[in-house]
Amino acid sequence: MTPGTADRPLMPFEDFEDLLDVAPDHVRLEYVDGRVRTKDPLSVEDFEELERRAPETVRLEYINGKLEVKAMPDGNHREIFMWLLRQCLLQRPGLNLVPESGVKAEAYRKGRARTDGTLAAVDRFKGDGEWSDPDGSLMAVEITSHDRDTDQRDRIDKPLGYAAADIPVYLLIDRDNNTLTVHSEPKDGRYQQISRHPWGATVELPAPVNITLDTEKLKDYAD
């Protein structure tokens, strides 16, 4: 069974120590209740420098002005991504579902989100650096992980960030309650349409995605 939110693992102290060792001198980090935080306000430029130096085991994001650590995917997380990838390739072969895509999110591109997948035309990200403008991204995908921050990050902050960046569709595959939540029609920093579907339902992803998901297979990956 999926552990309760309060029991989910947070950032290991060993990972924090590794991050602390490589952090720029002017970026002061602290470890509070299993989370890494900055003692001072963090600029986008300082975040990008910290992220470049971070160990491979630490995946960082900059969301709503705060430093966040994204959990490493487990086996079911990876299988769910591959399930979605196959559906996208079969129905929209002219598109790529790019894993681990760094996106400049939020208003004025001030956020730095690492999606589990970004749907875009083939070669859309050719020549880009670590963080890409959201222009041309048709859909952002997040698959929840078993960590304490997933509620705030995936269900609250990221929908706002992706909507503000005008990404047409945000798909949340939620492993806590075995649902898919489809966000669409971004306007004024919020998605105007939000629909939730249980695993096993047939889910229509709206334009410009235009993909129909048969989600029965997701039941095999219930925790």
Side-chain angles (χ1 to χ4, degrees):
M1 296 295 291
T2 300
T5 298
D7 300 324
R8 291 175 184 170
L10 303 177
M11 185 182 192
F13 186 70
E14 294 78 7
D15 285 350
F16 170 74
E17 289 184 313
D18 290 342
L19 185 63
L20 190 63
D21 285 342
V22 299
D25 291 340
H26 61 281
V27 176
R28 302 191 301 160
L29 303 176
E30 57 185 353
Y31 189 74
V32 180
D33 192 26
R35 298 175 173 88
V36 60
R37 295 289 183 260
T38 56
K39 295 182 180 180
D40 311 297
L42 187 68
S43 69
V44 173
E45 293 76 18
D46 284 343
F47 165 78
E48 290 187 344
E49 178 63 23
L50 178 64
E51 195 277 335
R52 279 193 294 269
R53 299 185 181 196
E56 292 183 359
T57 56
V58 177
R59 303 188 303 164
L60 299 177
E61 299 181 292
Y62 185 67
I63 300 174
N64 198 22
K66 297 181 296 182
L67 179 67
E68 299 285 351
V69 177
K70 186 166 183 173
M72 297 297 288
D74 59 19
N76 282 352
H77 187 290
R78 293 190 292 269
E79 291 294 344
I80 289 170
F81 177 82
M82 293 307 299
W83 163 83
L84 181 61
L85 174 63
R86 288 192 297 273
Q87 302 235 17
C88 292
L89 289 177
L90 286 171
Q91 298 181 50
R92 299 293 305 273
L95 302 178
N96 280 339
L97 184 63
V98 181
E100 296 291 315
S101 181
V103 175
K104 297 178 181 179
E106 302 179 15
Y108 309 110
R109 311 297 192 256
K110 291 296 186 181
R112 296 293 183 269
R114 192 177 300 280
T115 70
D116 287 321
T118 300
L119 188 70
V122 172
D123 290 338
R124 159 61 189 87
F125 300 116
K126 183 178 180 180
D128 282 3
E130 180 70 16
W131 306 99
S132 297
D133 284 320
D135 305 336
S137 297
L138 306 185
M139 179 173 68
V141 178
E142 297 291 348
I143 303 165
T144 61
S145 297
H146 299 321
D147 68 281
R148 191 180 298 182
D149 294 332
T150 194
D151 184 62
Q152 180 71 35
R153 182 183 60 241
D154 294 333
R155 302 187 187 105
I156 299 173
D157 290 338
K158 285 199 169 180
L160 293 174
Y162 295 148
D166 288 324
I167 296 177
V169 176
Y170 168 46
L171 174 64
L172 174 63
I173 302 179
D174 200 321
R175 298 166 61 196
D176 288 342
N177 50 37
N178 296 349
T179 62
L180 281 79
T181 303
V182 181
H183 306 72
S184 60
E185 298 182 22
K187 181 180 179 181
D188 299 328
R190 292 184 179 273
Y191 286 108
Q192 304 303 302
Q193 299 296 324
I194 302 174
S195 61
R196 180 180 292 181
H197 312 269
W199 289 8
T202 299
V203 179
E204 302 284 346
L205 300 180
V209 177
N210 297 322
I211 289 173
T212 300
L213 298 178
D214 176 0
T215 69
E216 185 67 27
K217 180 64 176 176
L218 288 178
K219 293 180 180 180
D220 291 346
Y221 307 126
D223 296 300

